[in-house]
Amino acid sequence: MKIIYLLTTGGTIEKVYSEQTGSVQNLDNKIDRYLSRLRLPDSEVRVLPLMNKDSLEMTYDDRAVILKTVRDLLADNAPIVITHGTDTMVETGLYLQRALVELKVPIILTRAMTPLGFEGSDGLQNLTESLFAARLLHPGIYVVIHNQVFPIDRVRKDHKLTRFVWMEKVS
Amino acid sequence: MKIIYLLTTGGTIEKVYSEQTGSVQNLDNKIDRYLSRLRLPDSEVRVLPLMNKDSLEMTYDDRAVILKTVRDLLADNAPIVITHGTDTMVETGLYLQRALVELKVPIILTRAMTPLGFEGSDGLQNLTESLFAARLLHPGIYVVIHNQVFPIDRVRKDHKLTRFVWMEKVS
Amino acid sequence: MKIIYLLTTGGTIEKVYSEQTGSVQNLDNKIDRYLSRLRLPDSEVRVLPLMNKDSLEMTYDDRAVILKTVRDLLADNAPIVITHGTDTMVETGLYLQRALVELKVPIILTRAMTPLGFEGSDGLQNLTESLFAARLLHPGIYVVIHNQVFPIDRVRKDHKLTRFVWMEKVS
Amino acid sequence: MKIIYLLTTGGTIEKVYSEQTGSVQNLDNKIDRYLSRLRLPDSEVRVLPLMNKDSLEMTYDDRAVILKTVRDLLADNAPIVITHGTDTMVETGLYLQRALVELKVPIILTRAMTPLGFEGSDGLQNLTESLFAARLLHPGIYVVIHNQVFPIDRVRKDHKLTRFVWMEKVS
C-alpha cells in the first residue's frame, strides 16, 4: 500500500450549502465522504484537515501551519496532496517552494470551481487526478486540475480569476 | 394525457452556483432539466417560467403577474403547480386564495430547502410530490412538501423560518 | 408522526449489479439506503423486508406471507406500501383484494423499471409517489407508478409487459 | 490543445440496463455522455467507437481492427486510451505490444468493474485517471485503473478474475 497524505484547508471544493443562511460556506469537512467513492485498493490516503477557510481569508499564520505540517510529513517520504481555495493557491504554493528545498516527493495543490456534490462539480475529477499524479509525478510542487499539470512557478490565474493558465515566459 | 401547468417563479429550488461570484443565485431556469428525470407517460407538464427571483424580492406586481397567469390558465381546467421561494410563499398563496373563488382545480405551491442538483436536495422529491398531488387533490390552494399537504390557510413558517408547520387553531 | 409501513419483496427496484457475475440480481435490501434521501419530517416509515425475489419466482406461499403480514399490520390502522416485481404484481394485488375485506387504509403496490441507483432509474420517483399516496388515498388496493394511480381491479400490463395501463371496460 | 484518442470496444464500462430484458448488455455507446462531465479545457478527446462487445466475445478479427486503428492513429503522435472488457484486456494489450514497436506515445487500456452510471461505478474514476495518464506516461502500453499504473507485461488478473494485480517476477 502506498501512503498519500491529503491535507485539506477549505476553499470551494469543501463548501456546503447552508439551509439556514441560503449561502455556500466552509462549515464542515466533506472530503472524506467523496473520497470514499473512489476505489484505491493499493493506496492509503491519510486525510489531515488543517483548516476550513475561504482562501481569501487565509493568513500567513495559516500558511505557516501548512508548511509545518508538510515539513513533518516529509520524513515519511510519501507524496502530499493539498486542497486549497483558488484565489491564493499559487501564493501558498510559492511560499512552500521557497521554504522547502531538495524535495523527494511531489506536493500537489488542487481545488474545485464548483463544490463537491453540486451539479457540474469538478471536485471529484480534480481529486482523482491529484491522487493519481501523487503516484506519478517527480519531486516538486505542482497545481493539478482539469487534466493538466502546472509546475508551481509556471502557473498564474487568468484575468477573470477563475482558471489557471501557463505563465508566459519573460525573456 | 392529463395536462399539468407548472409555473416557476424562482426561489431556492432553482438557484444555481455561480463560479464567477462563488455564491448561489437565481440566474437560469433549471426546472426543465430535472423534470426530464421523471417518467410521466400519462401527464403533459407545461412549464411556464414567470420570473426567477428570491422570494424576499417578490413584489405585489410580481404576485399580480402570477395571479393573472393563473386566471388565464383556469379556463383549461387543469391543475397548477407553482414553484416559489419559502419566505413569502404563504403570502402569495393567501393572495391567490383571496382573489380566486370557486376553484375547480387544485393549485399547489412547492419549493426546496436545498437547490435542485445540490447534494441532499429535496427539490426533486417536492416536485414529484406536487405533480402527483396535482392529480389527486380536491380543488383548493395547498402547500405540498416533504410528504405533507397543507391547505394554504392552515400553514405557517416555523420560528426558524426553514420549515412549514400546521397553524394552531385559534378558538 | 404518521406511520407508513413499507413491505419489500424484491423485484427490479431492489436489484443490484454484481461485479462477480456481471449481472443484476436480488441480493441485498437496498430500499433503506434510498429512503434516507427523502425528507419525511412528519412520517415514520417502518421498513419490513419480507423477501428479495424476482417476481417471476414468487410462489403462493410467498403471497401468503405477504397477506399474513398485511393482516397483522392492519390492526395499526396505518397505510401500507409494498414494493414488488412487475411481472406478478397485479396477481399479488388481486390476491390481497380477494382476501381482505372492509379495508380501512390504502394498500399501495409499486415497483421500478430500472433499479434504484442505476442511471435513469424511476425507483425513487415511484417510492416518493407511493409514500405520498399512502397519506392521501382512500382505503383500497392500488398500483402507484409514474404519476398515476390505478385501482388494482382496473390495471393490466401492456403487451410488451413493461408498463401498466388501464384495463378496458368490458360491457 | 492536446489531442487524446479514446477508442471504445465495449466491456462492463459501457454496459446499460435493458428494461426489456431486465439484464445488462452492451447495446449503445455511452462514453460520450460521461466524458462530457469532465472538464478538459486543454485536451481534445476524439472518441472512436470501434465495437461494443463483452470482452469474452472479442475475436482476433476484432483485435486486428483495434490494431489497425491504433496503427493509423500513431501517425498523429497523440496518446491513445482504449476502453475494454476485463476478461481479455491483457490479451489485447499483449497482442498490441507484440505488433507495435518503437512506440512514441503511451497506449492505455482501462475498464470498469461496475458500468458507468450505476451506483458505486468506478467507470468515471478510471476514465479520469486514464486521460490524465495519457498526458503523463512515457511511451509504452499500460493498464490504468484504481489509482494504479501497470505496464502491460507486468499485470495479470487475480484468481477471482475481478481485479488486476502485479505479476510476480519469475527469476
Side-chain angles (χ1 to χ4, degrees):
Chain A
M1 294 282 277
K2 302 290 188 298
I3 293 168
I4 302 172
Y5 286 104
L6 177 58
L7 313 188
T8 70
T9 72
T12 298
I13 197 167
E14 288 215 273
K15 285 194 173 160
V16 295
Y17 180 78
S18 161
E19 297 191 344
Q20 272 64 44
T21 64
S23 64
V24 290
Q25 294 173 272
N26 283 106
L27 292 175
D28 299 304
N29 300 114
K30 64 177 191 183
I31 292 272
D32 274 341
R33 194 150 33 94
Y34 289 88
L35 199 60
S36 70
R37 298 193 183 176
L38 299 181
R39 304 203 192 187
L40 306 162
D42 188 44
S43 309
E44 182 189 332
V45 181
R46 297 186 182 171
V47 182
L48 281 78
L50 296 189
M51 62 203 74
N52 200 341
K53 288 194 167 187
D54 187 300
S55 79
L56 286 173
E57 293 164 19
M58 196 172 276
T59 65
Y60 270 86
D61 281 350
D62 294 326
R63 286 192 181 92
V65 169
I66 299 173
L67 175 59
K68 187 184 177 321
T69 309
V70 168
R71 260 199 225 285
D72 291 350
L73 297 175
L74 286 177
D76 281 9
N77 225 20
I80 298 171
V81 173
I82 305 172
T83 58
H84 196 290
T86 302
D87 291 297
T88 65
M89 177 189 266
V90 175
E91 212 168 325
T92 299
L94 291 172
Y95 170 85
L96 293 176
Q97 191 180 49
R98 280 189 300 270
L100 301 167
V101 289
E102 295 187 25
L103 276 175
K104 287 177 188 144
V105 295
I107 297 177
I108 290 148
L109 291 140
T110 196
R111 52 120 188 176
M113 290 172 70
T114 287
L116 281 163
F118 288 28
E119 51 181 2
S121 176
D122 55 337
L124 205 56
Q125 176 188 345
N126 294 333
L127 204 54
T128 302
E129 290 174 353
S130 295
L131 293 172
F132 193 79
R135 295 189 58 165
L136 275 196
L137 290 178
H138 293 290
I141 303 183
Y142 307 88
V143 170
V144 166
I145 185 169
H146 299 165
N147 199 235
Q148 290 177 284
V149 177
F150 300 95
I152 192 64
D153 51 9
R154 295 289 310 287
V155 69
R156 60 167 183 76
K157 285 176 293 180
D158 74 356
H159 304 293
K160 291 169 205 149
L161 302 183
T162 54
R163 273 199 185 182
F164 289 112
V165 294
W166 289 98
M167 198 160 61
E168 282 142 51
K169 276 179 197 158
V170 185
S171 59
Chain B
M1 295 283 277
K2 302 290 188 299
I3 292 167
I4 302 173
Y5 286 104
L6 177 59
L7 314 189
T8 70
T9 72
T12 298
I13 197 167
E14 288 214 272
K15 284 195 172 158
V16 295
Y17 179 78
S18 160
E19 297 190 345
Q20 272 64 44
T21 64
S23 65
V24 290
Q25 293 172 271
N26 283 107
L27 292 175
D28 299 304
N29 300 113
K30 64 178 191 182
I31 292 274
D32 274 341
R33 196 151 30 95
Y34 288 89
L35 198 60
S36 69
R37 298 193 184 176
L38 299 180
R39 303 204 193 187
L40 306 162
D42 188 45
S43 307
E44 182 188 333
V45 181
R46 297 186 182 172
V47 182
L48 282 79
L50 296 189
M51 63 203 73
N52 201 341
K53 288 194 168 186
D54 187 300
S55 79
L56 286 173
E57 292 165 19
M58 197 173 275
T59 64
Y60 271 86
D61 282 350
D62 294 325
R63 288 193 180 90
V65 169
I66 299 172
L67 175 59
K68 187 184 177 321
T69 309
V70 168
R71 259 199 225 284
D72 291 349
L73 296 175
L74 286 177
D76 281 8
N77 225 21
I80 298 171
V81 173
I82 304 173
T83 58
H84 197 289
T86 303
D87 291 297
T88 65
M89 177 189 266
V90 175
E91 212 168 326
T92 299
L94 292 172
Y95 170 84
L96 292 176
Q97 191 180 50
R98 280 190 299 271
L100 301 167
V101 290
E102 295 187 23
L103 275 176
K104 288 178 186 141
V105 294
I107 296 177
I108 290 149
L109 291 140
T110 196
R111 53 120 186 175
M113 288 172 70
T114 287
L116 280 163
F118 287 28
E119 50 181 1
S121 175
D122 55 337
L124 205 55
Q125 175 187 348
N126 294 332
L127 204 55
T128 302
E129 290 174 354
S130 295
L131 293 172
F132 192 80
R135 295 190 58 166
L136 275 195
L137 290 178
H138 293 292
I141 302 183
Y142 306 89
V143 171
V144 167
I145 185 168
H146 299 166
N147 199 234
Q148 290 177 282
V149 177
F150 300 96
I152 192 65
D153 51 8
R154 296 288 311 286
V155 70
R156 61 168 183 76
K157 285 175 293 181
D158 75 354
H159 303 292
K160 292 170 205 146
L161 302 182
T162 54
R163 272 200 184 185
F164 289 112
V165 294
W166 290 98
M167 199 158 61
E168 281 140 52
K169 275 178 197 159
V170 185
S171 58
Chain C
M1 295 284 276
K2 304 287 189 300
I3 292 168
I4 303 172
Y5 287 104
L6 178 58
L7 314 188
T8 70
T9 71
T12 298
I13 197 167
E14 288 214 272
K15 284 194 172 159
V16 295
Y17 180 79
S18 161
E19 297 191 345
Q20 272 64 45
T21 64
S23 65
V24 290
Q25 293 172 274
N26 284 107
L27 291 175
D28 298 304
N29 300 114
K30 64 179 192 181
I31 291 274
D32 275 339
R33 195 151 31 95
Y34 288 89
L35 199 59
S36 70
R37 298 192 183 178
L38 299 181
R39 303 202 194 187
L40 307 162
D42 189 45
S43 308
E44 183 189 332
V45 181
R46 297 185 183 171
V47 182
L48 281 78
L50 297 189
M51 61 202 74
N52 200 342
K53 287 194 167 187
D54 188 301
S55 81
L56 286 174
E57 292 164 20
M58 196 173 276
T59 64
Y60 270 88
D61 282 349
D62 294 324
R63 287 193 181 91
V65 169
I66 298 173
L67 175 60
K68 186 183 177 324
T69 309
V70 168
R71 259 198 226 285
D72 291 348
L73 296 175
L74 286 178
D76 281 7
N77 225 21
I80 297 170
V81 173
I82 304 172
T83 57
H84 197 290
T86 302
D87 291 298
T88 64
M89 177 189 267
V90 174
E91 212 168 324
T92 299
L94 292 171
Y95 170 83
L96 292 176
Q97 191 181 50
R98 281 189 300 270
L100 300 167
V101 289
E102 296 188 24
L103 274 176
K104 287 176 188 145
V105 295
I107 297 177
I108 290 149
L109 292 141
T110 195
R111 53 120 187 174
M113 289 171 71
T114 287
L116 280 164
F118 287 29
E119 52 181 2
S121 174
D122 55 338
L124 205 55
Q125 175 187 348
N126 294 333
L127 203 55
T128 302
E129 291 174 353
S130 294
L131 293 173
F132 192 80
R135 295 190 58 166
L136 275 195
L137 290 177
H138 293 290
I141 302 183
Y142 306 88
V143 170
V144 167
I145 185 168
H146 299 165
N147 199 234
Q148 291 177 283
V149 177
F150 300 95
I152 192 66
D153 50 10
R154 295 289 309 287
V155 69
R156 59 168 184 76
K157 285 176 291 178
D158 74 356
H159 303 294
K160 291 167 206 149
L161 300 184
T162 55
R163 272 203 187 181
F164 288 112
V165 294
W166 290 98
M167 199 160 60
E168 281 141 53
K169 277 180 195 157
V170 184
S171 58
Chain D
M1 295 283 277
K2 304 289 188 299
I3 293 168
I4 302 172
Y5 286 104
L6 177 58
L7 314 189
T8 70
T9 72
T12 298
I13 197 167
E14 288 214 272
K15 285 195 172 159
V16 296
Y17 180 78
S18 161
E19 297 191 344
Q20 272 64 45
T21 64
S23 64
V24 290
Q25 293 173 273
N26 283 106
L27 292 175
D28 299 304
N29 300 114
K30 65 179 190 180
I31 291 273
D32 274 340
R33 196 152 29 94
Y34 288 89
L35 198 60
S36 71
R37 298 193 184 177
L38 299 181
R39 302 202 194 187
L40 307 162
D42 189 45
S43 308
E44 182 189 333
V45 181
R46 297 186 183 170
V47 182
L48 282 79
L50 296 189
M51 62 203 73
N52 200 343
K53 288 195 167 185
D54 188 302
S55 80
L56 286 174
E57 294 164 19
M58 196 173 277
T59 64
Y60 269 86
D61 282 349
D62 294 324
R63 285 192 182 93
V65 169
I66 298 172
L67 175 60
K68 186 184 178 322
T69 309
V70 168
R71 259 198 224 284
D72 291 348
L73 296 175
L74 286 178
D76 281 8
N77 225 21
I80 298 171
V81 173
I82 304 172
T83 57
H84 197 290
T86 301
D87 291 298
T88 65
M89 177 189 267
V90 175
E91 210 168 326
T92 299
L94 292 171
Y95 171 84
L96 292 176
Q97 191 181 49
R98 281 189 299 271
L100 301 166
V101 290
E102 295 187 25
L103 274 177
K104 287 177 186 142
V105 295
I107 297 176
I108 291 149
L109 291 140
T110 195
R111 54 121 188 173
M113 288 171 71
T114 287
L116 281 163
F118 287 29
E119 51 181 2
S121 175
D122 55 338
L124 205 55
Q125 174 187 348
N126 293 333
L127 204 54
T128 302
E129 291 174 353
S130 295
L131 293 172
F132 193 80
R135 294 190 58 167
L136 276 196
L137 290 177
H138 293 291
I141 302 182
Y142 306 88
V143 170
V144 167
I145 185 169
H146 300 165
N147 200 235
Q148 290 176 283
V149 177
F150 300 95
I152 192 65
D153 50 9
R154 295 287 311 285
V155 69
R156 60 166 184 77
K157 285 176 292 177
D158 74 355
H159 303 293
K160 292 168 205 147
L161 301 185
T162 55
R163 273 200 186 183
F164 288 112
V165 293
W166 290 100
M167 199 158 62
E168 280 141 53
K169 276 178 197 158
V170 185
S171 56

